[in-house]
Amino acid sequence: MSDLPVPSHLLPDNASVGSDGALWVGGLPLLDLAEEFGTPLFVYDEDHLRARCREAVAAFGPAVAYASKAFLCLAMARLAYDEGMAIDVATGGELFVALRAGVPASRCILHGNNKSIDELAMAIEAGIGRIVVDSFDEFDRLDALAARGLPAPRISIRITPGIEAHTHEFVRTGQEDSKFGFGWHSGAAAEAVARAQASSSVSLVGLHMHIGSQVFVAENFAAAIEVVAPLARELDLPELCIGGGLGVAYVEDEEAPTLSQWATVVKNACRDAGVPGRVTAEPGRSIVASAGMTLYRVGTIKEIPGVRTYVAVDGGMSDNPRPVLYGSGYEAFLPRSPGAARPRRVRVVGKHCESGDLLVRKAKVPEDLAVGDILATPVTGAYGHSMGSNYNKVPRPAVVFVAGGSARLVVRRETTEDLIRLDVPVA
Ligand SMILES: Cc1ncc(COP(=O)(O)O)c(C=O)c1O
C-alpha cells in the first residue's frame, strides 16, 4: 500500500486541483459544496455521467439500457434517457421513477425474479418496451393478464448460462445455482423458450443474461456468450442482451476495462459465435460509479495506542452499505489537500450503533487529518445512494450534480420530519 495521493483514475473526469490547492469538481470547490449543501453529500460530475452514457450508446447502439438500480432519481433517469439510453428497471418502483422523469415506457425494460402481477400489469398498461421473463410463475401471470385483455408484451428470456464470474458471491448471478433466470444446463432455458414460442400472451424478441456484477475479466462475458450462442443461432431472434456487470476500479491498484473495450470483447465474441441480431447490454455501475463521491465531516478521532485509529464521520453504512455487505474497499482523501501524501493508516467508520459500521477498513490519510475536516470517499456513485437506508434514523444525504461551475440539487437532504412521514401520528 503506497502513501501516494488518491490516484486520478478514481476521481471524476472533471476533477482538478484549484489555485487554492484544493480539489474542485465540475468547476466548483468541493469544500464550498460541503458548506452549501451540508454533509454527508453525494457529488456527481454531470459531464462525466453524460460522457459514459454516450460512450455506452456509441459502443452498443440505442438499445443499450442504463441499469437504474445503480443510482436512480428523477434527474438521473432523465439524464440517461436524454443521452440516448434506455432504462433498465428492476421493480415497479424503479419503473414509476423512470416514468415520472419523463422516460417513455417504450424505452424501459422490466427485470425482476419475482415481479408481482400488479407490477407486470402496470408495465404492460404503460406500454413497456421489454419484459425480461425470469420464471415459469411469471409466464403464468402473463397468461392471466392476457386473459384479462392486456396486450402481449415483447419479452426476453433470462438465461443463467452456468458461468461463474470472478466476483463476490452475493453479486454473482450467472451460475446454475441462482435465484435468477432459467438454468441452461437443467434444460429450463429451452423449456422457457418453447413456452414463449407457443404462447399468444407474449412476443419473444430476445435472450438475456447477466453473469454478475463487478466483473473485471471481459472474457467471462465471452464465455457466457459461447454457451448461449447455439440457442441464439437456432432461434434467430432480433436481440441478445448480455446484461451489465462491468467492473470499476475502487482502490488504487485496481484497473477495469472501459465500456468501449468491454463492448469490443462482447461484440467480437458474438460475431465469432455467429450470434444473429443485435447485441446489447445494460451497464449500471460503469456509468455512474466514478462520477460520484461522498463528502463527510470528521466528527471524532479515537486513537487506541498500538492498535488502531478510528476516524468517525457523519454518515456510514446508511449511505454506503457496500463495505459491510461485500467487504468492499474504498480510498479516502482530504479535498483540502488532494496532492498530500497519505502515510497515516486509520479506519474510517460511521455514526451508526454497530461495530461493523465501517466505510474504509484500512484508509490512508494525510498526517494532519483532524476533527472538522471534510473527508471524501471517491467512486461512491453506484449502489451507495440507491442501497442507502434510514438506519438509526439518520436522514439520507442530499445529491448534487455539478457541471460548468454550477451545482444543482437533484435530491434534497431528508429532514427529521421526513423520518416520521409514514408513521401514523400517536394520540
Ligand atoms: C439484470 C441486471 N442487469 C444489469 C445490472 C447492472 O449491473 P452493474 O451495475 O454491475 O453494471 C444488474 C445488477 O445487478 C442486473 O441484475
Side-chain angles (χ1 to χ4, degrees):
M1 239 186 356
S2 77
D3 294 351
L4 294 174
V6 67
S8 58
H9 76 280
L10 301 181
L11 298 176
D13 289 354
N14 300 292
S16 60
V17 178
S19 52
D20 55 354
L23 197 76
W24 293 41
V25 175
L28 290 172
L30 289 174
L31 296 180
D32 287 5
L33 291 170
E35 211 52 57
E36 182 179 350
F37 296 100
T39 55
L41 179 69
F42 285 98
V43 178
Y44 284 82
D45 172 354
E46 183 167 347
D47 289 333
H48 177 137
L49 292 171
R50 292 187 185 279
R52 291 302 179 282
C53 292
R54 283 184 209 147
E55 184 183 353
V57 175
F60 285 104
V64 68
Y66 166 59
S68 66
K69 70 207 75 177
F71 166 55
L72 181 61
C73 62
L74 295 174
M76 183 61 215
R78 174 60 77 81
L79 183 153
Y81 169 65
D82 284 347
E83 294 299 342
M85 296 189 83
I87 308 293
D88 149 358
V89 294
T91 62
E94 288 182 353
L95 177 58
F96 169 81
V97 175
L99 296 177
R100 271 296 172 89
V103 180
S106 60
R107 293 290 286 154
C108 295
I109 298 156
L110 179 63
H111 276 280
N113 68 306
N114 182 16
K115 305 174 190 79
S116 71
I117 195 152
D118 290 345
E119 286 175 311
L120 290 166
M122 168 194 178
I124 296 171
E125 278 162 2
I128 193 91
R130 187 91 77 258
I131 294 175
V132 181
V133 177
D134 208 283
S135 70
F136 291 110
D137 294 309
E138 189 175 341
F139 273 118
D140 292 344
R141 284 173 207 152
L142 290 167
D143 284 343
L145 292 173
R148 277 195 218 163
L150 267 63
R154 281 181 300 183
I155 66 156
S156 296
I157 287 180
R158 178 159 178 177
I159 294 175
T160 41
I163 294 294
E164 300 249 340
H166 299 146
T167 186
H168 192 286
E169 182 195 352
F170 293 174
V171 293
R172 212 185 285 153
T173 52
Q175 73 283 6
E176 194 78 17
D177 181 2
S178 166
K179 73 170 185 167
F180 295 106
F182 297 96
W184 178 260
H185 297 291
S186 66
E191 208 184 312
V193 166
R195 175 152 177 185
Q197 285 179 318
S199 168
S200 58
S201 313
V202 295
S203 162
L204 178 63
V205 294
L207 298 180
H208 179 283
M209 57 190 174
H210 171 77
I211 58 172
S213 271
Q214 198 48 354
V215 181
F216 285 97
V217 186
E219 284 64 33
N220 283 179
F221 294 91
I225 288 163
E226 259 178 52
V227 172
V228 300
L231 182 63
R233 285 197 301 267
E234 183 193 323
L235 296 173
D236 197 15
L237 294 170
E239 184 175 293
L240 172 68
C241 179
I242 51 103
L246 177 63
V248 305
Y250 281 91
V251 292
E252 67 177 9
D253 49 5
E254 278 177 342
E255 255 184 70
T258 63
L259 283 153
S260 315
Q261 289 165 340
W262 178 48
T264 301
V265 172
V266 162
K267 287 193 289 192
N268 286 347
C270 285
R271 187 201 55 214
D272 294 348
V275 171
R278 71 180 170 203
V279 186
T280 189
E282 43 196 35
R285 188 190 313 267
S286 51
I287 301 287
V288 293
S290 58
M293 65 170 71
T294 314
L295 304 182
Y296 300 100
R297 194 173 290 278
V298 175
T300 61
I301 299 180
K302 174 180 177 180
E303 309 233 12
I304 308 178
V307 181
R308 87 175 80 253
T309 300
Y310 287 96
V311 171
V313 297
D314 52 359
M317 61 193 286
S318 58
D319 58 73
N320 187 1
R322 294 188 67 255
V324 179
L325 275 177
Y326 314 124
S328 309
Y330 285 87
E331 300 283 345
F333 70 99
L334 297 179
R336 69 169 159 82
S337 52
R342 299 178 300 157
R344 197 167 162 197
R345 302 291 182 260
V346 302
R347 178 165 292 180
V348 179
V349 295
K351 61 180 283 143
H352 294 278
C353 285
E354 292 266 339
S355 287
D357 169 32
L358 67 89
L359 287 166
V360 191
R361 182 175 290 277
K362 283 188 193 150
K364 295 161 285 185
V365 293
E367 206 62 78
D368 65 348
L369 175 142
V371 168
D373 264 329
I374 296 297
L375 180 95
T377 51
V379 204
T380 55
Y383 302 106
H385 186 266
S386 64
M387 293 180 98
S389 74
N390 277 132
Y391 181 45
N392 290 145
K393 297 291 186 221
V394 172
R396 279 173 238 248
V399 183
V400 290
F401 281 9
V402 292
S406 40
R408 63 179 175 120
L409 183 68
V410 297
V411 181
R412 72 161 169 81
R413 182 175 304 284
E414 256 176 352
T415 62
T416 44
E417 281 300 318
D418 287 327
L419 298 175
I420 52 166
R421 75 185 184 279
L422 303 179
D423 289 22
V424 177
V426 287

